[in-house]
Amino acid sequence: MHDLVIRGGTVVDGTGADPGTADVAVDGHRISEVGTVGDRARREIDAGGLLVLPGWVDIHTHYDGQATWDPELTPSSWHGVTTTVFGNCSVGFAPVRPGTEGFLINLMEGVEDIPGSVLSEGVEFTWESFPEYLGALEARPRVMDVGAQVPHAAVRFYVMGERGADHEERPSPEQIAEMGRLVGEALAAGALGFSTSRTIKHRAADGRFTPGLTAGEDELLGVAAAMGEAGLGVIQANSDFADPGELKLLRRMGEVSGRPVSFSLLQVDQAPERWREMLDELDRAAADGVEIRAQVASRPIGILMGLQATINPFLAHEGYRGMAALPLEERVARLRGPDMRARILGERVDEGFGAWMAHALTRTFELGDPPDYEPDPSTSVAARARDRGMDPFALAYDLLLGDGGQALLYYPFENYSDGNLDAAREMLCSPRTVSGLSDGGAHVGTICDASFTTFLLTHWVRDRSRGERLPLERVVKAQTRDTARAVGLSDRGVLAPGFRADVNIVDLDGLRLSPPVIVHDLPAGGRRLVQRVRGYRHTFVAGVETYADGEWTGATPGRVLRGAG
């Protein structure tokens, strides 16, 4: 008798094969049979009319801190994620010398928009080394499997102290060797890889650039060589690629280490076709036997603006700043007064943030319910205001007062140069890319992209109307087997005998994303954006049901991944 049989669902197995009706049997934490299962089970689920999918594998999150206090790792777990990887973009919390925790908190706060007060209260720092950090994670119950990468910034600061955050300083050969040793130690203990950041967008809360921004070739290749000696791990990077030599450096890291490399790739307005050139470079690297992939997003990278969010269009208006700290209900009441409306809208804001916002409103949209992540440019706030003979700020003012002041505006600033998601579709379809960049757990007051996994189904498979959709089997493979293999995990992401029994049972017709909302459930009463979903009927991790119709069962079968496999 099997432990579990899921009967008669439409199985999309993660390999890219066509969907088909089948049963899935589970024994212990593994899948034991797929096809027509004759034997009975201790529990049986009728999945007729539903999709049966591998659990989603999200390899680009920032739950480094949240994983130490939140067993659910919401909102990712609500969206069928059964394996998540953090330690991306060079930021994280180990290794750390006692007394220097503040630097890593300051860096995470600035780079990933997680309030320092939240991290100071929530992260207990009972470790110093990276292996000890993994041990601390292992001591906590959790609903999903988690994997961690060792962050360059933490390693550099651990070895060099304050000099590691000074971009005029360079490490000695001995210090580079020590960085390599620490990375090797972390990989041996189970780290999935090493991450670095080379973008000016990444700054600590005090304004300093992330330590690895100006790291020299000798330093990065020294770490890569140590990874090659260990024969373990992947390399993840973030860069502006303003210098053509940057991609060459990442390629050299791949050559020296013999390890897979990935980096973030987006369409940017200042060079809207550069992503094509980058993918051409990856084709050439592949022809030479160097494995480099681009992590790409399934929708625009965009800012959510609202009265409770980090950003709204009126932060430069003196009248608004005077009430910004008031409770939402009181603020909304004042903003609805005609005199306050006239005062705020009458203020000149044609420099700095105000000038930027005036431009942003030409590509800012009402998010709506259900949220529209591929809005028509003709529906922007500025375009709608023009049609009504209004000031765009006046329309934005009125829209933000919707839903009791909880309404959100959406500003897609990357992956949206053409006013549609055609470029994102091409990137998703490339053999040189892997689905990533959800940033789950990060930018808590400006984005909520942990729902990328659900969006692949709702938008790309079912709902898209402004261009071609994507086949169901392709998007499932992209976010299960492909993401798992991108970080060296070969035991999951496929519904086949012997694979880990991480399974989602989904009502595709009933799958519906709710608009993001602000909640105050972080340590120290910190706020964050979360996004609920309906349509995930069951989620299993290692054969144990963790969610039923969107509600946590209380089960915590997740574990800390200790290396590939």
Side-chain angles (χ1 to χ4, degrees), residues 25-340:
V26 173
D27 289 286
H29 63 280
R30 300 282 175 184
I31 295 169
S32 54
E33 192 174 349
V34 177
T36 302
V37 177
D39 292 340
R40 305 304 297 176
R42 293 177 180 82
R43 181 182 181 189
E44 301 206 359
I45 294 176
D46 179 2
L50 304 175
L51 299 179
V52 182
L53 317 173
W56 302 122
V57 179
D58 189 345
I59 63 173
H60 195 113
T61 72
H62 293 279
Y63 287 120
D64 309 71
Q66 190 174 332
T68 69
W69 72 72
D70 177 13
E72 285 191 85
L73 284 189
T74 60
S76 288
S77 57
W78 298 338
H79 294 272
V81 175
T82 56
T83 301
T84 190
V85 178
F86 42 82
N88 287 287
C89 299
S90 191
V91 292
F93 296 121
V96 56
R97 294 192 186 279
T100 66
E101 299 88 351
F103 173 78
L104 299 183
I105 288 174
N106 178 58
L107 189 60
M108 183 70 80
E109 179 178 15
V111 172
E112 302 300 342
D113 185 28
I114 305 172
S117 58
V118 167
L119 297 172
S120 294
E121 181 167 311
V123 183
E124 295 181 352
F125 287 102
T126 58
W127 58 85
E128 178 172 347
S129 70
F130 198 90
E132 289 170 342
Y133 172 64
L134 293 180
L137 292 175
E138 211 157 41
R140 304 282 300 188
R142 60 191 72 256
V143 301
M144 69 175 73
D145 284 0
V146 299
Q149 298 169 105
V150 59
H152 187 189
V155 170
R156 194 174 209 262
F157 195 80
Y158 187 88
V159 171
M160 298 178 64
E162 285 292 340
R163 290 179 61 248
D166 185 338
H167 296 282
E168 299 299 318
E169 297 284 350
R170 290 291 178 266
S172 67
E174 293 76 18
Q175 288 173 324
I176 292 173
E178 177 63 4
M179 290 184 209
R181 187 193 69 78
L182 289 169
V183 172
E185 174 186 71
L187 294 171
L192 296 185
F194 165 81
S195 72
T196 190
S197 173
R198 313 277 290 171
T199 172
I200 61 172
K201 292 184 290 187
H202 284 172
R203 294 174 181 251
D206 61 13
R208 289 183 289 178
F209 290 116
T210 188
L213 175 67
T214 56
E217 182 174 306
D218 56 345
E219 180 178 338
L220 290 169
L221 295 185
V223 172
M227 295 181 72
E229 291 174 12
L232 296 168
V234 299
I235 297 169
Q236 183 272 332
N238 198 324
S239 175
D240 297 318
F241 294 109
D243 180 350
E246 277 289 289
L247 187 53
K248 292 179 181 177
L249 177 55
L250 290 184
R251 174 171 171 155
R252 286 282 293 132
M253 291 181 74
E255 292 169 343
V256 167
S257 67
R259 308 307 303 162
V261 178
S262 72
F263 64 87
S264 304
L265 180 65
L266 297 156
Q267 182 190 47
V268 294
D269 287 354
Q270 59 268 34
E273 296 299 314
R274 182 186 293 164
W275 62 271
R276 296 183 190 278
E277 300 167 9
M278 302 284 284
L279 291 182
D280 288 343
E281 288 293 329
L282 299 195
D283 284 339
R284 286 188 275 274
D288 294 335
V290 183
E291 185 178 349
I292 310 181
R293 294 188 182 278
Q295 289 190 29
V296 299
S298 59
R299 67 184 186 219
I301 302 300
I303 293 172
L304 293 171
M305 295 188 280
L307 296 180
Q308 298 182 93
T310 301
I311 295 174
N312 75 62
F314 302 99
L315 297 181
H317 290 69
E318 191 69 33
Y320 180 80
R321 290 206 303 269
M323 68 174 75
L326 293 175
L328 178 65
E329 187 175 347
E330 186 176 349
R331 218 178 332 147
V332 168
R334 292 198 185 188
L335 289 168
R336 282 181 173 154
D339 291 343
M340 181 59 71

Side-chain angles (χ1 to χ4, degrees), residues 359-375:
H359 170 73
L361 290 177
T362 66
R363 202 161 85 189
T364 294
F365 306 86
E366 188 175 11
L367 185 62
D369 183 7
D372 183 0
Y373 293 102
E374 192 177 13

Side-chain angles (χ1 to χ4, degrees), residues 359-366 375-387 392 395 399 410:
H359 170 73
L361 290 177
T362 66
R363 202 161 85 189
T364 294
F365 306 86
E366 188 175 11
D376 191 302
S378 67
T379 65
S380 74
V381 171
R384 289 170 62 186
R386 183 178 60 249
D387 292 344
L395 180 56
L399 291 174
Y410 180 53

Side-chain angles (χ1 to χ4, degrees), residues 463-475:
D463 295 339
R464 192 178 190 222
S465 60
R466 298 187 60 225
E468 291 183 80
R469 299 177 187 174
L470 289 170
L472 172 61
E473 61 274 15
R474 177 188 283 272
V475 302

